[in-house]
Amino acid sequence: MFITFEGLDASGKSTQAELTAERFRESGENVMVIREPGGTELGEKVRSILLDVNSAIEPAAEVFLFSAARAQLVREVIRPALSRGDTVICDRYVDSTTSYQGYGREIPLESIKAINRLAIEDVIPDLTFFIDISIEEIEKRQRAAGIDTDRMERAGRVFFERTRNGYYELARTEKRLKIIRGERSPGDIFSDIWSIIQVELHRSSVG
Ligand SMILES: Nc1ncnc2c1ncn2[C@@H]1O[C@H](COP(=O)(O)OP(=O)(O)O)[C@@H](O)[C@H]1O
Ligand SMILES: [Mg+2]
């Protein structure tokens, strides 16, 4: 099974990805957790460029950088793992490009769709959890954790509102994308996520 986590920064993606991985591991599954961009040698190099606050990157260039890292990750890591029967959990994936670069940076969606298709081909998640929190909650969490913001996180409130709206737009057409209310305890959130995974596992086993 291939599961991805989406949402704005500090929404709890990494927390939920780890909880999900642990639960799968307890049931004896081989699980791989991957953080995007990254997960390959090329991907980690691209990641350092993308998150560096000193990088000047045009929106169109940003699309290609994220997509280059992803194209490598899909072929080098994700597809082989899924072929072995492993469970793959990805912290961000193709919907981040649609929401951030498409809706957030306002790159035409037809271009984004074509690039996304080239990057991932048929490696589409079975389930995608969009963990939704307000911009106010993000700012609160970042202050609380004393997190130093990276280049993407400095983009500003209007950008994040457009990006958040992008995820809502995606959820209207993509059945695999589930909106999860993120302003609750990690345990409550995970309990929703795990029930949805159970439904999907059942659905795929009965065909
Ligand atoms: N449900 C939650 N409620 C409150 N704080 C949370 C919750 N989940 C995660 N956090 C905190 O918010 C911050 C960001 O969480 P993280 O899982 O790293 O998010 P992301 O990977 O989406 O950036 C961390 O400091 C984490 O401890
Ligand atoms: Mg994270």
Side-chain angles (χ1 to χ4, degrees):
M1 181 175 249
F2 182 24
I3 299 170
T4 60
F5 285 88
E6 293 284 352
L8 298 177
D9 286 296
S11 56
K13 299 180 297 298
S14 302
T15 303
Q16 296 301 323
E18 280 307 325
L19 289 172
T20 306
E22 256 170 56
R23 185 63 66 88
F24 271 110
R25 286 195 186 108
E26 283 166 12
S27 53
E29 298 278 325
N30 282 326
V31 186
M32 183 178 276
V33 183
I34 305 163
R35 168 197 69 170
E36 261 220 23
T40 66
E41 205 180 317
L42 175 79
E44 291 297 332
K45 285 181 186 157
V46 170
R47 179 185 183 89
S48 66
I49 296 170
L50 278 165
L51 302 188
D52 185 350
V53 290
N54 298 313
S55 294
I57 305 176
E58 286 293 323
E62 189 175 280
V63 177
F64 287 114
L65 283 168
F66 277 110
S67 302
R70 185 171 304 130
Q72 189 73 21
L73 181 68
V74 163
R75 289 155 183 83
E76 202 178 300
V77 180
I78 300 178
R79 192 185 272 137
L82 292 170
S83 309
R84 287 194 300 270
D86 291 1
T87 299
V88 177
I89 297 172
C90 220
D91 188 340
R92 293 199 178 285
Y93 195 56
V94 69
D95 304 313
S96 284
T97 296
T98 308
S99 296
Y100 279 74
Q101 282 72 46
Y103 287 88
R105 304 269 194 232
E106 301 184 303
I107 300 232
L109 291 173
E110 317 84 81
S111 302
I112 296 280
K113 270 190 193 147
I115 295 166
N116 280 346
R117 205 176 306 124
L118 177 64
I120 71 166
E121 293 180 331
D122 58 343
V123 186
I124 296 164
D126 299 296
L127 278 176
T128 298
F129 296 105
F130 162 43
I131 307 177
D132 188 36
I133 66 175
S134 65
I135 313 286
E136 290 72 26
E137 177 67 17
I138 292 173
E139 289 168 350
K140 215 170 83 189
R141 287 186 192 182
Q142 285 176 337
R143 271 197 306 274
I147 304 169
D148 250 357
T149 51
D150 63 37
R151 193 188 62 87
M152 290 301 294
E153 288 161 354
R154 291 188 182 184
R157 189 174 265 263
V158 177
F159 168 78
F160 288 119
E161 289 292 2
R162 283 201 302 265
T163 302
R164 185 184 186 196
N165 176 55
Y167 280 119
Y168 277 103
E169 288 297 321
L170 270 170
R172 285 150 53 107
T173 53
E174 298 290 339
K175 255 191 77 190
R176 67 179 161 80
L177 203 143
K178 314 293 180 191
I179 301 174
I180 303 289
R181 282 189 302 113
E183 291 179 38
R184 296 177 291 157
S185 75
D188 283 358
I189 296 169
F190 180 65
S191 142
D192 279 7
I193 287 173
W194 192 248
S195 327
I196 294 171
I197 291 173
Q198 293 313 300
V199 171
E200 176 61 25
L201 283 171
H202 180 74
R203 200 190 61 80
S204 58
S205 71
V206 296

